[in-house]
Amino acid sequence: MKNTRSTWLLACCLLGGWAQAQTTAASYPDKPVTLIIPFAAGGPTDVVARMMAIPMGKSLGQSVLVENVNGAGGTIASTRVARAAPNGYTIYLHHMGMATAPALYKKLPFDPLKDFEYIGQVLDVPMTLLARKDMPANTFAELLAYIKANKDKVSLADAGLGAVSNLCGLLFKSMIGVDINTIPYKGTGPAMNDVLGGQVDMLCDQTTQTVPMIKEGRVKVYGVTTTKRLAALPNIPTLDEQGLKGFEVKVWHGMYAPKGTPAPVLEKINAALRFAMQDPTVKQRMADLSSDIPPLDKITPQGLKTHLEAEIAKWDPIIRKAGVSAD
Ligand code: ASP
C-alpha cells in the first residue's frame, strides 16, 4: 500500500514538472531574452549578434538583448552560459572557439559536448591579415621581410587564447617561423581601435569587422585566409597563393542554450534564428561583409552538434602539434 502511494506521489510530481515545463514553454518568451557573446562590443561577433537580435526579437515577440561577457578567449562566457538557468532566457552566440577550447585549455570549466543544447549554425566568416596604415610594407613579401628584420619590435594584436584572431596569428607565426610579440585584448573591436591608432602593428580579423576599414583605406591588408579570393575584396590575394600553402581559417559560428532548456523553447529559438538568417537586411549585410549564411539544413540542432564534434576532432591534433595549450 505504502509503495503504491509513493509511486503515485512520484508520478504526480513528474507529471506536475512536465506540465509546468509545457506551460513555461507555451508562454515562452514572456520577457526579453539575453543573447550572450564572448567578446567586447564593436568586434565581429558583436556586429553579427546585434544584426541578428532585431529579426530574432521580431520572431520571438520579445526583445533580444546582447550582453558582452569578455575574457579568456571566450571561455568565461561559455562557462557562464553552461551554468545559466535552462529556461530559454539565456542564449549564446560563439564561433569556432567552442571547438578549439578543449585543446587550448587543459582545465576547462565546461564541456562543449555535454553542457549545452544546440540551436543551429549561424555564419561562416573569412579573415584578413592587416596592419596599421603606415606600416612600412606594401606587399606580403615586404611584410615578411619587415617582420624578419624587426622581429623584436613588431606587435600582433588578438583577442586571447581561444579567439580566432589568436588562432590565425598562431598559424601565421608558425608558418613564417617568426614568434611575433602578441598583445591580447578583450575582443578585436578594441584591438582594431589600436591598429587604427597605430598603437599596435598587425591583426588577423574577420571580414565582419575589417571590410569597411579596408574599403575606406584605413588599414593595410596583405591577404585573406580563404583558399579562394573573396567577391567583396577581389584584389586581395589569399595567403595560400602568396606562399602560405594550405593556410585556411574560415570562422563558423553557432547558437547555443544551457543544457536542459525545454525542447519546445529550443524550437522557438531555432525558428527565430532561421527567421533572422532569412531576413533580407541580414542577408544583404552579410554578403557585403563577405560572410556566408549556411543552408537551412545546417541551421538545426543536429547540424550544429555534428559540425561541432567534427571541428573538435579536426583542431585537437593541430593545436596539440603547435604546442599552444594553456594550463
Ligand atoms: N570574434 C572575436 C571578437 O568579436 C575576436 C576573435 O575571436 O578573434 O572580438
Side-chain angles (χ1 to χ4, degrees), residues 95-311:
H95 58 39
M96 57 194 281
M98 197 67 140
T100 57
L104 288 171
Y105 289 88
K106 292 191 178 97
K107 299 187 193 81
L108 206 53
F110 64 89
D111 182 334
L113 294 176
K114 291 188 184 141
D115 297 335
F116 300 89
E117 301 292 351
Y118 307 92
I119 297 166
Q121 289 192 45
V122 176
L123 198 65
D124 294 343
V125 184
M127 301 186 84
T128 51
L129 182 66
L130 49 80
R132 57 187 167 83
K133 195 176 171 187
D134 55 357
M135 187 76 166
N138 294 318
T139 65
F140 184 66
E142 288 175 11
L143 176 70
L144 293 190
Y146 180 82
I147 290 171
K148 288 176 179 158
N150 299 275
K151 57 187 156 190
D152 297 334
K153 269 177 42 190
V154 176
S155 56
L156 174 67
D158 71 24
L161 191 64
V164 285
S165 48
N166 173 273
L167 183 65
C168 178
L170 289 175
L171 293 176
F172 177 65
K173 292 189 286 190
S174 67
M175 287 181 95
I176 68 169
V178 179
D179 190 13
I180 306 169
N181 300 320
T182 304
I183 302 176
Y185 289 77
K186 291 190 177 306
T188 49
M192 180 61 86
N193 290 338
D194 276 5
V195 171
L196 296 174
Q199 286 80 17
V200 69
D201 293 323
M202 294 178 63
L203 172 66
C204 183
D205 198 15
Q206 297 163 78
T207 55
T208 31
Q209 165 156 250
T210 63
V211 165
M213 280 82 174
I214 292 168
K215 292 196 166 179
E216 292 158 13
R218 298 173 65 196
V219 291
K220 273 185 183 167
V221 57
Y222 300 97
V224 297
T225 65
T226 41
T227 50
K228 289 197 181 68
R229 294 193 182 200
L230 302 176
L233 302 167
N235 302 326
I236 300 172
T238 68
L239 294 178
D240 175 82
E241 72 182 83
Q242 297 184 94
L244 300 190
K245 281 295 159 220
F247 194 110
E248 183 180 18
V249 180
K250 194 160 187 184
V251 185
W252 59 272
H253 294 68
M255 186 166 282
Y256 305 84
K259 187 73 178 175
T261 304
V265 170
L266 292 172
E267 282 158 23
K268 286 187 179 178
I269 301 167
N270 175 266
L273 173 59
R274 294 159 73 92
F275 177 78
M277 290 291 103
Q278 297 171 82
D279 177 276
T281 308
V282 171
K283 290 175 81 169
Q284 186 55 56
R285 186 85 182 108
M286 293 301 172
D288 294 345
L289 296 174
S290 237
S291 304
D292 300 324
I293 292 174
L296 281 178
D297 68 331
K298 291 193 184 302
I299 310 180
T300 60
Q302 195 51 51
L304 174 55
K305 184 162 191 208
T306 304
H307 189 65
L308 177 62
E309 288 165 342
E311 285 283 293

Side-chain angles (χ1 to χ4, degrees), residues 31-94:
K31 62 184 179 181
V33 174
T34 298
L35 172 59
I36 288 181
I37 64 162
F39 297 105
T45 309
D46 191 65
V47 165
V48 175
R50 291 181 194 281
M51 201 185 308
M52 295 167 46
I54 297 164
M56 283 191 73
K58 268 190 214 146
S59 171
L60 289 168
Q62 284 286 346
S63 303
V64 173
L65 308 174
V66 174
E67 182 180 349
N68 305 82
V69 177
N70 309 326
T75 55
I76 290 176
S78 299
T79 305
R80 161 97 174 264
V81 174
R83 294 175 180 166
N87 56 19
Y89 291 100
T90 301
I91 57 178
Y92 189 40
L93 173 68
H94 193 7

